């Protein structure tokens, strides 16, 4: 795929409508997905940090049998 094909693909998907090759074809507007609230983002990131910290300080149980 050359550069012009990539640009064409990018531009074809940059609008919010589904288009057809037929003239005067109906267009459907895509519904936007609701985003996460700042509180949900903070909770998720905090949980990730705490899990990584717990995995980092967890003793290695491999080979202790």
């Amino acid at each position: 795929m050359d550069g012009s094909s990539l640009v064409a693909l990018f531009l074809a998907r940059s609008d919010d409508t589904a288009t057809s090759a037929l003239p005067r074809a109906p267009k459907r507007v895509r519904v936007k997905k609701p985003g996460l609230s700042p509180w949900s983002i903070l909770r998720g990131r905090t949980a990730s940090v705490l899990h990584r910290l717990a995995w980092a300080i967890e003793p290695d149980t491999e080979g202790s049998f």
Side-chain angles (χ1 to χ4, degrees):
M1 215 181 243
D2 62 345
S4 61
S5 298
L6 290 174
V7 171
L9 276 174
F10 174 73
L11 292 176
R13 304 298 270 162
S14 66
D15 61 348
D16 286 340
T17 59
T19 57
S20 173
L22 299 174
R24 293 183 301 274
K27 294 182 180 180
R28 291 181 38 196
V29 177
R30 293 186 185 135
V31 178
K32 299 271 186 195
K33 293 181 181 177
L36 293 175
S37 68
W39 175 247
S40 295
I41 293 171
L42 179 66
R43 281 181 44 207
R45 289 184 180 166
T46 304
S48 294
V49 167
L50 290 175
H51 277 101
R52 288 182 184 183
L53 180 65
W55 290 332
I57 62 174
E58 182 179 85
D60 204 14
T61 58
E62 198 173 305
S64 62
F65 294 111

